[in-house]
Amino acid sequence: MTGTRRAAEATPAETGAGGARPMVMLAVATIGFAVNFWAWALLSPLGPRFKDSLELSSFEQSLLVAVPVVVGSLGRIPVGALTDRFGGRVMFPAVSLFTIVPVLYLGLAGHSSLASLLAGGFFLGIAGTTFAVGVPFVNAWFPPRRRGLAVGVFGAGMGGTAISALTTVKEVDRYGMRFPFVVMAVLLAVYAAVAWLVLREAPGRTAPTEPLAKRLAATARMGVTWQMSALYAVAFGGYVAFSVYLPTYLKTEYGLSQSDAANRMAGFVLLAVVMRPIGGWLSDRVGAPRVMVTVLAVTVAGAAAQAFSPPLMPLGTIAFLAMAAALGAGSGATFALVAQLTPVSKVGAVTGVVGAAGGLGGFVPPLVMGFVYGAYGSYAAGLVLLALVAAAAALFTATVVRRAALDRQAA
């Protein structure tokens, strides 16, 4: 009986592929995720600069940095389903090459007005769909007991936003507005070529034959799709919201310079990136529901503390770093659950919907924060709302999600 169950759980990584091959695939996929996320986040560090040069309102600035987020989020739904059909070897180069167009447009011509920035940002959002390409690709290369860590390591590619935060403003100051966008276009082209030459699908992979609409409808009927979407909207959505809006928040609330605010945002992102694979690793060992409840409780405490606008050193810094660690670990734990609860052939489609929910979770808070500050001159209400949402998600995890995980284990 044990041998039968073991054979049923075996994946191509165990039955046919060499031991080093899955790690090579994971490394190349993670690099691709990081490069595309770097491109996806190019506008965020420049938000305060565009606000000053184009005389934007707080809401317009929030809209500018949020548009790529929402497009990259919604785009994950069809891209995830297309990845199930065509595989990561096709989709990674395709998304990377497409992203070159808006990157060059924004760098060479599209930064002179809000309308042109919004148009370029809309298509730049395609870069954010690479998450829905990488999760099913990586998932197929690893056995169930290692998927939490593997997908967590891949998720660390979201650190591309930190690279953008650390480099974009400095490059613009030194070499002009075009430079970081042209460099990014070259990196995307190089990665597309490498991905096409190196990436291979996991042995034994079978592409679904049903029409795209039918597969998306079947995905929508799965309970795990909406349970994980709710959790990811809070965990990854919170991370995305802070990664795009934190420079503006720090500059407005604490009077930091644009460069200092961008550097602190990079620290937030880097900690979240480091914690994502740790969240996946812990989920493999102690259970993802337990990890989720813990990190959501930490998020509640951090958001509630920051709502009182404490001094940045040390209380404000501690609150933000605690939330960064919690949101990063929570993002890893969510996809450990996706890998455990979803049939392998549907991981791409489920990942697309869940990833979209996470991105949309990051789209709304910057707009809310901009509106709240414009109306009341304070960010407190927005942070209190984050604490309440995280508390509700923790309760949901401890009851509904935990029960679903136990049922799946028993089955």
Side-chain angles (χ1 to χ4, degrees), residues 213-224:
K214 186 176 180 180
R215 284 186 284 128
L216 290 176
T219 301
R221 291 193 294 269
M222 298 173 64
V224 65

Side-chain angles (χ1 to χ4, degrees), residues 30-117:
T30 303
I31 292 170
F33 184 31
V35 170
N36 278 274
F37 252 45
W38 182 354
W40 194 38
L42 279 173
L43 291 181
S44 175
L46 298 173
R49 183 183 295 261
F50 290 132
K51 181 181 181 181
D52 294 338
S53 63
L54 300 177
E55 299 181 348
L56 306 180
S57 68
S58 295
F59 180 80
E60 287 173 332
Q61 181 188 355
S62 300
L63 184 64
L64 171 63
V65 299
V67 162
V69 174
V70 73
V71 174
S73 303
L74 293 176
R76 290 173 190 176
I77 298 175
V79 168
L82 288 170
T83 301
D84 282 340
R85 176 67 178 84
F86 296 106
R89 190 199 177 208
V90 171
M91 294 303 293
F92 263 121
V95 172
S96 300
L97 289 174
F98 184 90
T99 303
I100 292 174
V101 177
V103 165
L104 287 177
Y105 168 75
L106 286 167
L108 300 179
H111 54 263
S112 58
S113 70
L114 177 62
S116 60
L117 284 168

Side-chain angles (χ1 to χ4, degrees), residues 58-411:
S58 295
F59 180 80
E60 287 173 332
Q61 181 188 355
S62 300
L63 184 64
L64 171 63
V65 299
V67 162
V69 174
V70 73
V71 174
S73 303
L74 293 176
R76 290 173 190 176
I77 298 175
V79 168
L82 288 170
T83 301
D84 282 340
R85 176 67 178 84
F86 296 106
R89 190 199 177 208
V90 171
M91 294 303 293
F92 263 121
V95 172
S96 300
L97 289 174
F98 184 90
T99 303
I100 292 174
V101 177
V103 165
L104 287 177
Y105 168 75
L106 286 167
L108 300 179
H111 54 263
S112 58
S113 70
L114 177 62
S116 60
L117 284 168
L118 290 175
F122 181 89
F123 291 101
L124 186 66
I126 299 299
T129 66
T130 47
F131 181 74
V133 177
V135 170
F137 177 81
V138 170
N139 190 73
W141 275 102
F142 289 85
R145 68 180 184 277
R146 295 176 61 198
R147 285 177 185 159
L149 177 59
V151 174
V153 170
F154 168 76
M158 67 186 189
T161 56
I163 300 174
S164 180
L166 288 170
T167 60
T168 304
V169 174
K170 294 176 182 177
E171 289 175 345
V172 169
D173 288 340
R174 182 171 297 180
Y175 303 111
M177 183 63 70
R178 296 183 177 186
F179 185 83
F181 293 91
V182 172
V183 168
M184 192 73 256
V186 172
L187 290 176
L188 286 164
V190 170
Y191 175 74
V194 171
W196 180 254
L197 293 173
V198 176
L199 291 182
R200 294 293 182 271
E201 302 301 330
R205 174 187 177 275
T206 56
T209 56
E210 299 92 346
L212 176 62
K214 186 176 180 180
R215 284 186 284 128
L216 290 176
T219 301
R221 291 193 294 269
M222 298 173 64
V224 65
T225 301
W226 304 110
Q227 292 168 6
M228 297 305 102
S229 293
L231 294 185
Y232 204 56
V234 178
F236 186 71
Y239 159 78
V240 171
F242 279 120
S243 68
V244 301
Y245 199 73
L246 195 56
T248 300
Y249 174 87
L250 292 174
K251 183 179 179 182
T252 304
E253 187 72 22
Y254 293 102
L256 301 185
S257 67
Q258 180 181 345
S259 178
D260 191 11
N263 288 338
R264 290 175 187 270
M265 185 269 271
F268 180 97
V269 169
L270 287 172
L271 181 55
V273 167
V274 170
M275 290 302 298
R276 183 156 185 159
I278 293 175
W281 176 77
L282 287 171
S283 297
D284 288 340
R285 279 150 183 77
V286 304
R290 186 179 300 177
V291 175
M292 284 300 301
V293 170
T294 302
V295 300
L296 288 168
V298 172
T299 302
V300 171
Q306 191 57 37
F308 292 96
S309 299
L312 188 57
M313 294 297 294
L315 296 181
T317 299
I318 292 172
F320 276 118
L321 292 181
M323 286 191 286
L327 295 170
S331 298
T334 303
F335 273 93
L337 278 168
V338 170
Q340 292 165 13
L341 302 179
T342 308
V344 174
S345 63
K346 297 183 183 299
V347 168
V350 172
T351 295
V353 177
V354 175
L360 289 175
F363 171 74
V364 175
L367 297 179
V368 172
M369 295 290 271
F371 174 78
V372 166
Y373 187 82
Y376 304 106
S378 170
Y379 291 112
L383 289 160
V384 169
L385 183 60
L386 171 61
L388 293 174
V389 170
L395 180 62
F396 178 72
T397 303
T399 54
V400 176
V401 175
R402 178 175 177 274
R403 201 157 46 237
L406 290 174
D407 289 345
R408 178 71 175 180
Q409 254 185 339

